[in-house]
Amino acid sequence: MTDFHEKKVMVLGGSRGIGAAIVRRFAKDGAKVTFTYAGSKDAADALAAETGAEAVKSDAGDRSQTIATVKAAGALDVLVVNAGTLVLGDPLETDPDAVDRMIDINVRAPYHASVEAARQMPEGGRIIIIGSVNGDRMPFAGGAAYALTKSAVQGMARGLARDFGPRNITVNVIQPGPIDTDMNPADGPMKDTMHGFMALKRHGRPEEISGLAAYLAGPEGGFITGAMHTIDGGMGA
Ligand code: NDP
């Protein structure tokens, strides 16, 4: 446990999966947590009731909404950008609008949210973006556009770490491998393919990601910035 009392945390995309685990972890550790959701109102309401966090409807695919939501949150000690979507398939057959919407959510939103948060963030603030091991490796066909988005946040984090470093604000990327969520269920059709690439033959749990988010946001994580942190059961090993 890390003590986050008095700390203000915002999780973009917190209603389900990895984001919900991050909300739970920061709330349990005493933070005042706000999280966003786009479509899953029931899940968001249930999580808010469970944790005491505040749920705000805000579409990460809409730049104005994202910037306004982060601005309205005021001076955040920690911003976690988790909202993400996955579009897989033959690039020759994939709807280009779906690809562009994924780029809006997975790339543009982390950039604009991070910049907006930094405007009001106090000295020592922390920005954490949830990328993917697919930012480093794309070991199967059909994932080019998703990999594009997760590689993009690597460069973004390196650059923003330089921009905000003089204010002791850190910027890091957590890169999960297969994690058991609605996006990638442990019993889904890709399970055997994915486990074939991994040293540990299982999906990870969302709580195995939220622990690192707490570490990076806590006092022991203060010297870590501009870095990619892979938690992938050895998929990229
Ligand atoms: P889920 O699909 O289980 O959950 C996605 C979360 O993001 C939901 O809370 C969803 O909210 C929110 N979200 C999606 N689109 C938007 C949007 N436009 N605006 C606001 N919120 C949005 O995904 P995971 O938990 O699995 O994934 C979370 C992150 O981790 C993503 O960035 C994903 O790319 C990354 N990741 C996941 C891996 C995995 O194996 N699960 C592996 C590597 C990376 P709502 O339902 O309310 O719209």
Side-chain angles (χ1 to χ4, degrees), residues 13-18 37-40 58-61 82-85 101 105 130-132 146 150 176-179 181-184:
S15 54
R16 296 181 289 113
I18 293 169
Y37 68 97
S40 303
S58 181
D59 179 2
N82 169 78
T85 56
R101 165 119 178 120
I105 295 167
I130 308 301
S132 167
Y146 181 71
K150 297 303 187 178
I179 304 297
T181 65
D182 296 337
M183 181 187 279
N184 185 3

Side-chain angles (χ1 to χ4, degrees), residues 18 27 62 75 162 222 227:
I18 293 169
D62 180 318
R162 303 266 179 200

Side-chain angles (χ1 to χ4, degrees), residues 216-227:
L216 291 171
E220 291 169 299
F223 198 54
I224 306 171
T225 196

Side-chain angles (χ1 to χ4, degrees), residues 1 6 8 17 23-24 39 41 45 67 87 90-91 109 112 115 135 156-157 177 203 220 231:
M1 157 162 184
E6 311 294 325
K8 238 169 109 175
V23 169
R24 286 192 178 93
K41 183 176 184 340
D45 287 346
I67 290 173
V87 176
D90 181 345
H112 293 298
V115 169
M156 179 188 308
H203 274 47
E220 291 169 299
I231 311 183

Side-chain angles (χ1 to χ4, degrees), residues 92-166:
L92 303 183
E93 306 292 336
T94 305
D95 175 4
D97 287 341
V99 170
D100 284 359
R101 165 119 178 120
M102 177 171 65
I103 292 171
D104 286 345
I105 295 167
N106 293 12
V107 179
R108 294 181 200 272
Y111 179 82
H112 293 298
S114 299
V115 169
E116 191 57 36
R119 292 185 202 285
Q120 302 186 69
M121 199 167 245
E123 172 98 2
R126 309 290 165 87
I127 296 171
I128 299 166
I129 298 165
I130 308 301
S132 167
V133 65
N134 294 136
D136 287 330
R137 306 252 187 287
M138 191 62 248
F140 47 82
Y146 181 71
L148 172 168
T149 68
K150 297 303 187 178
S151 297
V153 297
Q154 299 181 333
M156 179 188 308
R158 292 186 180 108
L160 292 180
R162 303 266 179 200
D163 292 317
F164 304 146

